Amino acid sequence: QAFEGQLISPPAENDPFLGKRLTMYIMECGPDFLHIPFYVGEDKSRTWVLTMKNELIQLKHDHRHEDGSPDKVTQYGGLASNTGSATTQMFPADQETANLIPHAAHNVWWITVDDTSFTYNLRRIGTDRWVAVKFDLTKPVENPGRPWGW
């Protein structure tokens, strides 16, 4: 299913999410993985990849170009530092992220889920950078199709 969301954090200057339709699509899931494309308007370049790694959840951001080729900034994210809870999981930036995007070395992503919503969050520790998009799980929307490269 797919769900529409809204930016609930204050928009940054030149925020690419501002004024665009924000949609998440629960595309694929298995016993150890979940693939959730995140569409910003017509841009289908982003997919959240959640994978079980040694009983912890890893979050990676798969970014693709329209032709399906990987973006040069892709596969960043982090491994959960603990088992979290049924409703919240946190992902501090991993070493791969620090190497790829040095200014994102102090990123923390977290996902919260309850009966009615799924919220994707990012905080860059030590800065004012904060992004949160909340999706309404009570109102499925039309399936937007597969993301670029999938």
Side-chain angles (χ1 to χ4, degrees):
Q1 288 185 310
F3 304 95
E4 196 164 332
Q6 64 179 9
L7 189 65
I8 60 171
S9 55
E13 188 176 318
N14 301 319
D15 195 315
F17 301 166
L18 200 57
K20 303 271 176 66
R21 183 174 191 216
L22 306 176
T23 308
M24 66 177 271
Y25 168 38
I26 311 295
M27 181 176 70
E28 297 174 332
C29 59
D32 295 330
F33 72 91
L34 186 59
H35 298 152
I36 306 172
F38 170 47
Y39 303 140
V40 178
E42 298 300 315
D43 181 340
K44 295 183 175 187
S45 65
R46 301 166 177 87
T47 300
W48 300 318
V49 177
L50 296 153
T51 309
M52 290 299 294
K53 300 278 184 183
N54 299 319
E55 300 184 26
L56 297 173
I57 302 171
Q58 179 183 56
L59 168 67
K60 289 290 184 172
H61 297 77
D62 185 300
H63 285 265
R64 305 287 177 122
H65 295 285
E66 197 166 357
D67 68 2
S69 63
D71 192 276
K72 66 179 182 178
V73 179
T74 189
Q75 300 307 318
Y76 60 88
L79 182 66
S81 58
N82 59 44
T83 57
S85 72
T87 60
T88 304
Q89 187 62 68
M90 301 187 79
F91 308 94
D94 59 17
Q95 189 61 50
E96 183 177 7
T97 299
N99 294 343
L100 182 66
I101 317 167
H103 63 271
H106 301 291
N107 279 7
V108 177
W109 295 271
W110 70 100
I111 294 172
T112 60
V113 180
D114 61 33
D115 291 339
T116 62
S117 65
F118 174 107
T119 306
Y120 167 88
N121 306 272
L122 161 66
R123 180 70 193 211
R124 184 160 295 148
I125 304 302
T127 74
D128 292 335
R129 179 83 169 128
W130 172 55
V131 176
V133 181
K134 186 173 187 176
F135 298 89
D136 184 348
L137 299 179
T138 68
K139 299 176 185 170
V141 298
E142 184 179 340
N143 178 330
R146 296 181 74 79
W148 299 338
W150 287 77

